Amino acid sequence: MAAASAPSAPSAPAAPPFFAFEHVSKAFGANRVLEDVSFTVARGETLCIMGRSGVGKSVSLRLFMGFLKPDQGRVIAAENDITDWSEAQLTRLHEKVTMVFQSGALFDSLTVGENVAFPLEQRGSLSEEEIATVVDGLLDMLEIRRYRDELPARLSTGMKRAVAIARALAARPEGILYDEPTTMVDPLMVQTIADLMQKVQHQVKLTSVVVTHDTRLARRLGDRVVLLHDSRLRFIGTVAEMDASDDPVLKTFLAEDEVTLAAAGPRS
Ligand SMILES: Nc1ncnc2c1ncn2[C@@H]1O[C@H](COP(=O)(O)OP(=O)(O)OP(=O)(O)O)[C@@H](O)[C@H]1O
Ligand SMILES: [Mg+2]
């Protein structure tokens, strides 16, 4: 065999982002919520999105789920350009990307265990026994197994959040979107939810986007953080870069958050 000189290996193509906005704009009538927003989330990364109320954080998550379409720009989720996807295609996306809603959105008439089992039963590929094993494993991980046979109405808001996280994980997603996982719960429960999210982050290899007002949660979980402000992406970077930034808008946001957190009482 002739020893052909090996062609120089082409440099490996950059891995596609798991989630991305490419020049995304979204308005509701005259209300221009997002304007020309671009950022990426790499596979395995946790990105925290911060910003004031009404700035478009929940809208951003709904764009990643395909529940909303952008007016301009492209939306990438699970490494696919989903901008023009049909309902049927989005159903397949939702096997890979799940969302923990701001409200929790549990089924009131189903027990905790049945709520967590629901996505698995929908899929129909597992036996009852296999489903029970997965559900118990998730309830253990989220430390809520003792509530398995309770109805959600009997649980605190914080415990309902934990159930909602377990249910979102039951679908064995590759990506998870959390909308304000720690609002409306007492300071002690904030700590518990943050601990659980960190545990999930370490035990399950997921790409996560966490929408939060709470800079402490963003500091704990975020590989990088985003600040949305006045319809624009104002800042993106690591927590260290955030702390080193001279941007007056970012500094004001962080200072105001310190005051809010201090008023909410000691936490960490
Ligand atoms: N379906 C909709 N129709 C009309 N306006 C909408 C719709 N969804 C969101 N909006 C508007 O878009 C803006 C951004 O809403 P969004 O829910 O993303 O805010 P947010 O950053 O999540 O705020 P919060 O921190 O209060 O949850 C708001 O002005 C809201 O009223
Ligand atoms: Mg919101």
Side-chain angles (χ1 to χ4, degrees), residues 57-58 102 179-180:
K57 303 183 300 296
S58 297
Q102 204 160 358
D179 198 353
E180 300 280 8

Side-chain angles (χ1 to χ4, degrees), residues 153-205:
R154 309 223 8 192
L155 271 54
S156 69
T157 309
M159 284 299 104
K160 283 184 202 160
R161 290 274 159 80
V163 177
I165 293 171
R167 190 178 60 180
L169 293 173
R172 289 175 188 267
E174 297 171 28
I176 187 163
L177 307 168
Y178 294 96
D179 198 353
E180 300 280 8
T182 59
T183 50
M184 308 291 289
V185 299
D186 65 67
L188 207 66
M189 190 53 74
V190 168
Q191 199 61 37
T192 306
I193 302 276
D195 290 344
L196 291 175
M197 289 175 71
Q198 211 157 29
K199 189 169 162 190
V200 167
Q201 207 177 20
H202 290 141
Q203 293 193 2
V204 192
K205 252 292 159 233

